[in-house]
Amino acid sequence: MPSRREFIQAGLAASVVPVAFPVAESAPVASVPHIAAFSSHRLTHVVCDARFRSSQAVAIEAARLGLPVVSIDGDISDFWFHDLAPVWSTAPHAIAGLTAHGPLFCLERFGWDHGLRVVFRGVHRFEGDHVEHSLSGPFRTIAAAHGTLVADDWPTHLTRLLNSCAVTHDTASTTVRGAVGGGRERDSDDTLCTLFTLFSWVIAPKHADPAAAMRRS
Amino acid sequence: MAVPPGVSTRDWETALRQFRQAVGESWVFTSDDDIALYRDAYSPLWGEPEERLVSAALAPDTTEQVSAVVRTANQFRIPVFPISTGKNLGYGGSAPNLSGSVVIDLKRMNRVVEVDDTRHFAIVEPGVAYFDLYRHIQERRLNVWIDCPDPGWGSPVGNSLDHGVGYTFGAYRDHFHSHCGLEAVLPNGDVVRTGMGALPGAKTWAEYRYGFGPTVDGLFAQGNLGIVTKMGFHLLPAPEAYQTSIVTVPRRRDIVPLVDLINELEHQALVGMPEYFSPLGGFGRPGPPPQEFVALMQRPGGPTDEEFDRYAQQRNAGAWSCRLQFYGSPKVVAAHLEHAKDRFAAVVAGSTFQDGELLRFPLNAEQLDRVHKVAVGIPNMSIFSIGARTELNPSPSDGHLWFSPIIPKSGEAVLEAQRVFMDAFAKLGMPSMVSPFTMPATWMHRAFIFIMAFPISRSNVAQNQRTRTVFRELVKVAAEHGWGEYRTAPVFQDDVMAAYSFNNHSLLRLHEAIKDAVDPNGIVAAGRSGIWPRHLRRTRA
């Protein structure tokens, strides 16, 4: 188990100012040219739940971005035992994903044991032909999300948000209502699913130093 | 910053300094962000004033550090609550009985001290998870199996000390029963080893559990006399093969010989954990129950056995089934399976068997994907891949609470428990969690656990309050029929201990006498299993 001191660096931004953005049903897709200038968590894995088309879309975009993609079917056992536990036991790094609740519940708690926390959390409630995205996380990431998740290609934009999750300690939240994306979800009997919830998340070292992250990126 | 109950701010600050000196500054947690991690994720009191919360946590790395921490806690009368990996979900998680306690988080004590695959034992520290022990065994290609519960992130030490259970063979799945010797730090900071561990240089710590004189190990299980820092466990020698076979009996009353025969097979060590179910389903299956079944249940006086049997025949299904599990060499598996079939053929007319595939170890990837992993000693997290929000489950719970009474291992007891609990739910005016097809869990190899899961909400306080009321009522109903819970969350531990009331609660009086002698300041796990230290005994309701 790494020392917590390894994650405590000088010069942390100490202020935490939760900011809530208003609900937006439609807005022009926002480009955030300054994202690249900010430090972001480097992801060692992007976890996708293969049961859900939206999550499959995240996997496609993550692969396009050159990120290592892990595909699960709701069960994190093999990922944890063979991939993540050995990595986190020596050098906990950030991971992200779009999954059902169970994988997030498990990975978040495994993360606690290794000095990591959920630094970005999205709840995506599918209800019929629309989806409500409730996001909380770093101010800059939430600001970048504003307006990008309303169209049906939201999983693609979500992936980019996860990949650029800012290393800061300020937080904000927003709720966005948009179209169902990634194709309509169907269960194993090919029955249309209209009522379910997915969760997007970034789990990262809780005392990551923005300056150090900037130097690495 | 929260201060533990009964402790002055000045003493608390002094104690914190001493804690930091003992374990290192990095490993004392007092921030709101850190101590929030020790909330019980499945607390039936979530967000209410009575929710059990901690004041701080600290994570020692060695028995010596635990001893130093306990001495400081005793000096300032600071209540402490030890946890191992803190994953006791459904039974309290990592939250204490007494709010304001300081959690002693033993996750850093994660050494596998020894594993022997010719004498078949392991000695581990409390921070070792089932995953860790399994990895240790696999990496060294040792010829032993672990027995683990559903989520593999728990601790063999922590799980066994809460009388936790698993899935493989015989007594191995009663985890405290399969322990052998332990080391504990007493409330005065003294370190004791039990069994053969008390004899310096003995190599039989994890082989022979009694040592000499009275066996005190049980006082540390669901107890509060000390902090366990090492435990030995007997391990199952790795079998060559595994096979299941489902036996089905046609009639409702066949449950009696079904259970009797399987008891005979299991107690002769011919089968592993039996898994009972009914082909007629009942609760837990997707969708509403069939109309025909609803009509049957609504008949005045309830359905007769003959009506149940007719219902089963019309569905071309038996009344009861049991998945039998066989372990051993292929010859042994075949012989035991043949014997089981012979016994059933002689006793239960119309019984049938459906054999599964004979699996030889090591399993290939496709077999690993299909097999019930915990039945073959493989820890995993698959239990968390169920319960998501869907059309059939539009408002999934945020967790669950286990109600788990022990009933006799007989078919008659199962039918009685079904009837009693269905009546109880009807009187409580709520949908029954029990049906005429509900079967008990068989984790304990010498008793049935008639287990039910109550949903927990993080947003609906009224629902949680109602759940607690119903739970307490069911504890009483169970006790009236001679059934007591084997394990429960801190919020109900007083209620459950009160049910074990023989001779004016003489058992609790004995526990309290021992507690007063060994922990006069009452610092360790106050209230665990309803055993409160003297100074808190006077004030509790």
Side-chain angles (χ1 to χ4, degrees):
Chain A
M1 191 186 223
S3 163
R4 292 175 71 237
R5 281 201 183 280
E6 293 174 24
F7 302 116
I8 298 175
Q9 307 277 350
L12 286 173
S15 65
V16 175
V17 183
V19 175
F21 287 89
V23 173
E25 283 210 11
S26 63
V29 173
S31 64
V32 188
H34 300 296
I35 269 283
F38 303 126
S39 56
S40 58
H41 293 286
R42 185 191 295 172
L43 304 177
T44 60
H45 299 87
V46 174
V47 182
C48 300
D49 195 326
R51 299 172 298 174
F52 302 100
R53 292 180 191 224
S54 306
S55 198
Q56 292 168 15
V58 167
I60 291 169
E61 179 63 10
R64 193 190 70 77
L65 293 171
L67 297 168
V69 175
V70 174
S71 182
I72 65 171
D73 60 353
D75 181 359
I76 61 145
S77 304
D78 287 343
F79 171 53
W80 168 251
F81 186 76
H82 295 292
D83 299 319
L84 198 57
V87 169
W88 276 4
S89 66
T90 54
H93 287 303
I95 63 172
L98 177 66
T99 63
H101 182 257
L104 169 59
F105 182 86
C106 298
L107 290 170
E108 178 172 18
R109 277 150 186 78
F110 278 130
W112 291 350
D113 295 343
H114 296 84
L116 298 104
R117 300 286 188 271
V118 172
V119 298
F120 174 95
R121 192 185 303 262
V123 181
H124 311 274
R125 291 179 62 96
F126 289 69
E127 302 205 353
D129 59 1
H130 70 270
V131 55
E132 185 178 85
H133 310 280
S134 300
L135 312 176
S136 62
F139 180 93
R140 293 188 187 95
T141 307
I142 300 301
H146 194 62
T148 65
L149 304 185
V150 295
D152 60 6
D153 62 346
W154 65 267
T156 300
H157 290 281
L158 175 68
T159 312
R160 297 171 191 166
L161 286 174
L162 299 177
N163 188 40
S164 57
C165 183
V167 181
T168 64
H169 298 280
D170 47 21
T171 61
S173 61
T174 191
T175 299
V176 179
R177 190 180 166 99
V180 171
R184 299 298 292 275
E185 300 285 351
R186 292 180 180 274
D187 65 16
S188 55
D189 294 329
D190 205 31
T191 303
L192 194 65
C193 296
T194 59
L195 192 67
F196 60 96
T197 303
L198 294 180
F199 297 79
S200 59
W201 43 267
V202 175
I203 298 173
K206 76 166 193 167
H207 290 300
D209 174 21
M214 175 81 84
R215 287 193 294 274
R216 283 198 301 270
S217 62
Chain B
M1 181 174 65
V3 178
V7 181
S8 69
T9 304
R10 183 172 150 179
D11 281 351
W12 178 228
E13 287 169 357
T14 306
L16 282 174
R17 274 198 302 278
Q18 289 180 201
F19 287 149
R20 289 183 178 112
Q21 283 166 4
V23 305
E25 190 163 342
S26 309
W27 302 109
V28 177
F29 312 120
T30 56
S31 73
D32 290 346
D33 185 42
D34 283 335
I35 66 174
L37 305 188
Y38 296 97
R39 290 177 85 176
D40 174 14
Y42 292 0
S43 174
L45 291 159
W46 188 271
E48 295 183 50
E50 290 298 311
E51 183 185 348
R52 309 299 195 252
L53 300 171
V54 312
S55 56
L58 42 101
D61 190 35
T62 63
T63 301
E64 291 70 29
Q65 288 184 8
V66 174
S67 182
V69 159
V70 168
R71 288 184 209 276
T72 295
N74 214 348
Q75 178 186 353
F76 296 104
R77 303 194 179 211
I78 293 169
V80 297
F81 187 80
I83 65 170
S84 40
T85 59
K87 304 291 193 296
N88 201 13
L89 297 174
Y91 290 115
S94 48
N97 293 62
L98 178 67
S99 265
S101 297
V102 174
V103 160
I104 299 183
D105 182 344
L106 300 170
K107 280 200 290 288
R108 292 177 68 212
M109 295 184 67
N110 58 2
R111 297 167 195 84
V112 176
V113 176
E114 185 179 358
V115 178
D116 188 305
D117 72 339
T118 57
R119 291 142 68 206
H120 313 110
F121 65 78
I123 300 174
V124 293
E125 291 187 334
V128 171
Y130 286 101
F131 278 121
D132 301 329
L133 182 54
Y134 178 76
R135 186 187 301 279
H136 181 98
I137 290 167
Q138 293 298 304
E139 285 177 350
R140 290 156 184 77
R141 300 181 189 274
L142 300 175
N143 204 34
V144 283
W145 275 15
I146 64 171
D147 182 287
C148 56
D150 271 299
W153 60 7
S155 155
V157 172
N159 186 265
S160 64
L161 290 176
D162 202 31
H163 295 164
V165 288
Y167 285 87
T168 64
F169 195 81
Y172 293 105
R173 61 181 197 270
D174 174 351
H175 294 159
F176 188 71
H177 183 98
S178 63
H179 100 281
C180 187
L182 55 84
E183 173 188 273
V185 175
L186 299 180
N188 63 0
D190 210 359
V191 180
V192 69
R193 289 184 175 180
T194 68
M196 296 311 296
L199 196 151
K203 293 183 168 55
T204 46
W205 176 348
E207 289 182 283
Y208 182 63
R209 65 169 61 94
Y210 301 124
F212 183 75
T215 304
V216 298
D217 296 44
L219 295 173
F220 295 94
Q222 293 189 352
N224 53 7
L225 296 183
I227 298 173
V228 175
T229 49
K230 282 183 192 63
M231 272 179 101
F233 291 95
H234 291 161
L235 299 179
L236 175 66
E240 291 177 41
Y242 166 79
Q243 184 172 6
T244 64
S245 186
I246 296 176
V247 56
T248 299
V249 294
R251 295 162 292 273
R252 184 162 177 79
R253 283 285 155 181
D254 287 337
I255 191 176
V256 175
L258 173 75
V259 173
D260 286 350
L261 278 172
I262 292 173
N263 283 351
E264 177 189 296
L265 295 171
E266 186 178 13
H267 299 164
Q268 289 176 340
L270 301 181
V271 297
M273 176 175 139
E275 295 180 343
Y276 292 98
F277 61 98
S278 173
L280 300 173
F283 299 120
R285 295 181 71 172
Q291 265 306 110
E292 188 187 346
F293 173 71
V294 172
L296 195 67
M297 293 306 299
Q298 287 173 346
R299 291 177 68 80
T304 64
D305 287 348
E306 291 70 29
E307 283 167 335
F308 272 122
D309 291 345
R310 214 161 26 245
Y311 177 72
Q313 280 170 7
Q314 285 162 0
R315 296 175 72 84
N316 198 27
W320 309 104
S321 293
C322 182
R323 181 176 292 105
L324 302 175
Q325 304 186 80
F326 300 87
Y327 300 84
S329 72
K331 280 185 182 174
V332 166
V333 167
H336 290 177
L337 177 53
E338 185 182 348
H339 174 72
K341 289 176 177 173
D342 288 346
R343 290 295 292 131
F344 271 89
V347 176
V348 184
S351 58
T352 58
F353 276 76
Q354 184 182 356
D355 294 347
E357 179 191 352
L358 176 71
L359 298 176
R360 295 171 193 254
F361 298 102
L363 304 181
N364 61 37
E366 187 268 335
Q367 291 168 333
L368 273 171
D369 209 41
R370 280 190 285 117
V371 79
H372 186 206
K373 290 186 173 57
V374 287
V376 294
I378 300 174
N380 67 91
M381 302 294 288
S382 63
I383 195 76
F384 289 103
S385 60
I386 60 176
R389 176 174 174 255
T390 65
E391 277 85 353
L392 293 172
N393 185 22
S395 301
S397 66
D398 295 312
H400 57 263
L401 206 56
W402 293 116
F403 174 66
S404 44
I406 295 284
I407 69 170
K409 230 175 155 192
S410 73
E412 291 96 341
V414 172
L415 294 177
E416 184 189 6
Q418 290 172 357
R419 181 182 50 76
V420 166
F421 286 116
M422 285 194 292
D423 285 348
F425 282 111
K427 284 179 185 145
L428 287 163
M430 62 177 285
S432 179
M433 302 184 78
V434 173
S435 84
F437 309 114
T438 300
M439 289 299 273
T442 50
W443 300 307
M444 283 292 178
H445 73 299
R446 281 293 192 160
F448 281 160
I449 305 174
F450 204 78
I451 196 158
M452 297 164 226
F454 284 83
I456 292 300
S457 171
R458 288 195 181 185
S459 54
N460 192 334
V461 170
Q463 177 192 312
N464 288 346
Q465 288 172 338
R466 174 80 174 135
T467 292
R468 298 198 301 272
T469 300
V470 169
F471 197 104
R472 291 196 159 103
E473 185 58 32
L474 291 180
V475 168
K476 290 181 192 161
V477 167
E480 286 163 10
H481 293 82
W483 309 325
E485 284 62 65
Y486 90 105
R487 191 175 174 190
T488 197
V491 66
F492 302 112
Q493 287 175 5
D494 287 351
D495 303 89
V496 171
M497 179 55 84
Y500 290 81
S501 60
F502 170 76
N503 188 24
N504 191 28
H505 305 274
S506 59
L507 178 61
L508 177 58
R509 287 188 278 117
L510 175 61
H511 285 314
E512 288 173 345
I514 298 171
K515 179 69 169 170
D516 293 344
V518 175
D519 186 11
N521 290 331
I523 61 163
V524 176
R528 181 117 172 85
S529 299
I531 305 165
W532 290 92
R534 192 190 301 277
H535 68 282
L536 293 174
R537 222 173 286 156
R538 283 194 299 275
T539 56
R540 67 188 158 93

